[in-house]
Amino acid sequence: MTQLRTVQVLGGGSAGSSAHVRSLAAGLVARGVRVTVCAPAELDHDYDFLGAGAHFVPVPRRSDPLSVGALRAACADADVVHAHGLNAAVRSGLALAAQHVPLVVTWHTRPHVEGARRQLLRFMERKAVRAAAVVLATSSELVDRARRRGARDARLGPVTMPPPCGLADLPGEKARAELGAVDRPLVVTAGPLEPHRGHDTLLDASRRWLGHDPVPLVAVAGEGTRRDALERRVDTERLPVRLLGHREDASALLAAADVAVLPSRWEARAPLAQEALRLGVPLVATAVGGVPELVGDAAELVPYGDAVALAAAVTRLLADPASRAALAEAGHRQAATWPTEDETIAQVLSVYDELCASRGGNGG
């Protein structure tokens, strides 16, 4: 049996998909698989794929002939190509058009587009899933969506984020002191400041907490296109919100929180939700996408865009230490049901072996 050769393709998408590829690359290399990661150059700096034992080929996110040609060359001797995200899947399909190499696509999330771009999105989704031998979707809703778009084989492939290192040692009190939240409740959210993330709803909810004594502080970690607009609202309305920008210590901030909030319009296996439940931080989240499937009964779920419901759920938890403790325990139990990194890697490797066996190629 010769060494199984895989190429992992990233299009510069979410932090969750990049972290998953880093974890997957390390796990596959440890099992004797030859792994090449094709991604924008800056991602190797951020995620150190070379440090995971993978080969790294810088390929821009673009779909121009030069970029597709570079991807085609990198995939020339692969037994399996695995694309992560819609952009990577479409580009991989183009690169493999004249090659007989099976393509696996992991569908991590659903892009958020408006108006006429929705038709283009549907076209790209159809193109991506129909090029794939197997689609691994991170939530049941995405499995159904892939099948509606014409996937030949769509399966649930939950992606569990690697837990932060040293969970017990995260300096929660230091983070609270830095934020000025030693003697007031701390509500934390983290993620890109983009329209679909629901930050305006969170700011609406924060206005309803101005009458509390003490007033909860809302800490928002992340950067994005909505930064300036959100800052204007905070300043104009004098909201109890701090926009912290990108933070390397987001896990420590989350560990320090009394309540975590996930107000997004859509999520699959949100990293914030996974971290909050693992850390035992009570979570209030929108009942959208794969969130209910992910959290079970270990979070307070509210409708998307409903600032009144969001504010009320957070208020109830802040006023009820017993409920917070119960959610913390439920979070630990729920997190224990998620697949481990080893189980995630084993599932992916079994798909590779299945595809290689069907074409008489290498096995793992």
Side-chain angles (χ1 to χ4, degrees):
M1 302 281 283
T2 58
Q3 185 181 35
L4 180 66
R5 300 160 297 183
T6 76
V7 175
Q8 308 289 319
V9 184
L10 271 165
S14 68
S17 59
S18 299
H20 170 59
V21 170
R22 209 292 182 180
S23 169
L24 185 59
L28 291 172
V29 168
R31 289 161 174 77
V33 178
R34 185 182 188 276
V35 179
T36 298
V37 176
C38 294
E42 62 271 16
L43 288 184
D44 186 52
H45 177 268
D46 294 339
Y47 292 93
D48 191 20
F49 300 115
L50 288 168
H55 303 271
F56 183 76
V57 178
V59 178
R61 192 176 188 273
R62 304 186 305 268
S63 296
D64 59 86
L66 189 62
S67 298
V68 172
L71 185 55
R72 181 180 296 116
C75 296
D77 66 346
D79 297 304
V80 179
V81 174
H82 191 161
H84 299 264
L86 184 60
N87 176 275
V90 172
R91 291 161 57 241
S92 297
L94 292 172
L96 297 175
Q99 302 184 40
H100 300 289
V101 179
L103 174 64
V104 177
V105 170
T106 292
W107 203 341
H108 290 266
T109 188
R110 190 179 76 188
H112 300 274
V113 298
E114 302 292 342
R117 295 183 63 195
R118 289 184 178 180
Q119 185 172 352
L120 175 61
L121 174 63
R122 285 194 293 270
F123 171 77
M124 292 181 67
E125 288 176 343
R126 288 196 297 270
K127 197 170 184 63
V129 302
R130 291 176 182 179
V134 175
V135 176
L136 297 174
T138 57
S139 70
S140 297
E141 183 183 72
L142 285 178
V143 172
D144 293 339
R145 188 179 180 92
R147 289 171 179 164
R148 290 196 304 270
R149 296 293 186 258
R152 288 172 284 171
D153 185 342
R155 312 177 190 181
L156 184 63
V159 171
T160 298
M161 297 294 297
C165 296
L167 289 181
D169 302 321
L170 294 175
E173 291 307 314
K174 180 181 177 182
R176 292 185 75 102
E178 176 198 338
L179 294 171
V182 174
D183 297 318
R184 61 193 294 197
L186 178 61
V187 178
V188 171
T189 191
L193 306 184
E194 301 298 337
H196 65 276
R197 294 288 179 169
H199 293 103
D200 278 299
T201 302
L202 179 57
L203 265 57
D204 290 342
S206 75
R207 191 189 305 115
R208 305 181 73 86
W209 300 325
L210 286 171
H212 291 205
D213 184 19
V215 177
L217 175 66
V218 181
V220 181
E223 284 289 358
T225 62
R226 292 282 297 156
R227 172 73 186 240
D228 291 344
L230 294 172
E231 279 188 335
R232 284 194 297 271
R233 280 201 61 188
V234 171
D235 292 341
T236 301
E237 301 174 36
R238 298 184 179 181
L239 300 175
V241 176
R242 288 191 59 183
L243 302 178
L244 304 176
H246 174 73
R247 298 284 296 231
E248 295 291 342
D249 63 344
S251 293
L253 290 173
L254 189 59
D258 295 292
V259 175
V261 175
L262 181 67
S264 304
R265 182 171 67 193
W266 195 91
E267 295 280 357
R269 295 183 70 84
L272 173 70
Q274 293 189 49
E275 279 205 45
L277 267 60
R278 280 198 177 113
L279 290 165
V281 177
L283 174 67
V284 177
T286 43
V288 296
V291 173
E293 181 180 19
L294 175 68
V295 303
D297 62 358
E300 290 277 346
L301 297 179
V302 298
Y304 168 72
D306 190 334
V308 175
L310 176 61
V314 171
T315 297
R316 284 195 303 272
L317 286 174
L318 292 178
D320 189 349
S323 292
R324 295 202 304 274
L327 274 186
E329 286 299 317
H332 290 310
R333 290 195 301 271
Q334 182 69 10
T337 69
W338 298 335
T340 64
E341 282 188 89
D342 281 347
E343 289 167 342
T344 299
I345 293 161
Q347 182 196 23
V348 170
L349 189 55
S350 72
V351 172
Y352 295 171
D353 286 341
E354 175 187 330
L355 292 174
C356 288
S358 69
R359 59 194 294 263
N362 295 327

